[in-house]
Amino acid sequence: MDFAMMRLDDVLLAPVSAAMDDDDAEAFRHQVLTEIKRMEASGLVLDISGLPIIDSFLSRVISEIATAAGILGARCVVVGMRPAVALTLLQMQRPIAGVAHASSLVRGLEKLRAMLEEDA
Amino acid sequence: MTSPEARQQLLQLLLQQRDEVQRQWLLNLYKQDTNWSERIDDSALHAEVDTFLTLFIDALQTTEQWDSIQAEAFTALRRHLIDLSNSRVIEGFTPSETALYVFALKQAMHHMAGAGADEKTQSLLSELLSVEVLLDQLGLLTVESYLNHREALIVEQSATILEMASPTLLVWDHVVLLPLVGVIDTDRAQVILDSLLTAISETESVVAILDVTGVPVIDTQVAKHILTAVEGAHMLGASVIITGVSVETAKTLTKLQINLGDVITRGTLRAGLRYALHLVGVHIEKNA
């Protein structure tokens, strides 16, 4: 499976699709990290606005991608989480913590720029 | 018309036949739809019936006033029945089932009174009893409907209170305020969390102010709910500022060693709002 991703200067934009099963999630993780390495990205935006629900596996994969991206030198922002998804994660007591979040793509990019400026 | 002789006669009969009355009462109970044997321990039910009869006969022997249970002599019996009803509530019996427990004794008494009578009187008594049972059931229907309706009202009212108690206000562009009022239990925490996340998402807020001025106590449990809300808001890309923390609360939190972590807190709503505006890059100054 090949996932659609977009490059904005040194930032990789990766939308998480709703219809991902566990294998797809692994493939997605691999593709995102490979792409970060290849383009020497300094930022990653994971867009999860297309997710109406979430399970514990996918939430873990998302946190792990964020951490792994950091190791590869890219700061990560998760954008567009729906309230229902946040509620589910809180109920499972598995919030996606330790990563920046933003409500929309635009705000996410703003936040990422601010973070990168801080790093510089 | 009451006559002392008849009353004495009945009392004597009751004293003589006590065991038989008790047996009949239990038989009647087991005939009811209530399914006593499955819902209450047999020996417990026997003990309850026995206690009731003892207190009942005692009361009848003590007083001449048989027309009102408010008489002094019935105090112990009343107390027994109130305790019994309270435990029936906890055990999940309906009001009717609880009342029919006592009504079953009436049938047993009828049985006892009619035992010596001729056939004609007996059949008349039995018909009378059927009508009485019908009337009891009709009376219970009114009680049951009354209670059901009142319960529905209470449920409706608590839902309204729950809703009213967690409004969300957009106080500035991308700054939402939730004034929390009253005790925060788990149910309310869920409602608050829900309205917080919905409000952040709908208003695209980047800062949410939770004002706890109206929350009387913040203990470990409430602090946990607040931290959950902070986490939830964070996942939607919003920061949370807790405002209106009282001196008492600050003392409690430190004494209980509750760690609010990196949560931004301010003593007053005003200070919180100022900080929120700073976060969204708004600068306010007086007209020159």
Side-chain angles (χ1 to χ4, degrees), chain A residues 81 83 91 95-96 99 101 107, chain B residues 174 190 231 234-237:
Chain A
M81 186 185 293
Q91 264 152 22
I96 300 180
V99 52
H101 291 262
R107 290 204 176 278
Chain B
H174 310 298
Q190 196 57 39
E231 252 174 348
H234 174 71
M235 287 195 288
L236 297 187

Side-chain angles (χ1 to χ4, degrees), chain B residues 92-104:
Chain B
F93 289 89
T94 66
S96 291
E97 285 169 340
T98 310
L100 281 169
Y101 165 80
V102 180
F103 291 167

Side-chain angles (χ1 to χ4, degrees), chain A residues 4-74:
Chain A
M5 288 177 194
M6 199 188 289
R7 207 181 140 162
L8 300 165
D9 293 332
D10 56 345
V11 173
L12 178 68
L13 168 62
V16 180
S17 136
M20 271 206 278
D21 63 18
D22 289 4
D23 288 340
D24 296 334
E26 280 304 340
F28 177 75
R29 181 208 313 251
H30 185 74
Q31 195 182 325
V32 169
L33 296 178
T34 313
E35 189 61 20
I36 287 174
K37 174 114 174 132
R38 197 188 61 76
M39 66 180 263
E40 292 176 31
S42 49
L44 167 67
V45 176
L46 285 175
D47 180 4
I48 60 168
S49 60
L51 285 185
I53 43 159
I54 200 163
D55 60 20
S56 58
F57 182 75
L58 192 55
S59 77
R60 210 181 69 216
V61 170
I62 290 170
S63 316
E64 286 170 1
I65 291 176
T67 315
I71 296 168
L72 296 174

Side-chain angles (χ1 to χ4, degrees), chain B residues 178-223:
Chain B
L178 273 87
L180 304 183
V181 177
V183 176
I184 300 178
D185 56 15
T186 308
D187 281 349
R188 278 207 62 208
Q190 196 57 39
V191 174
I192 291 165
L193 181 62
D194 219 285
S195 21
L196 171 70
L197 297 187
T198 311
I200 289 173
S201 165
E202 274 173 5
T203 60
E204 289 178 36
S205 288
V206 291
V207 182
I209 302 174
L210 287 183
D211 185 68
V212 295
T213 310
V215 181
V217 193
I218 298 188
D219 55 12
T220 319
Q221 213 49 34
V222 176

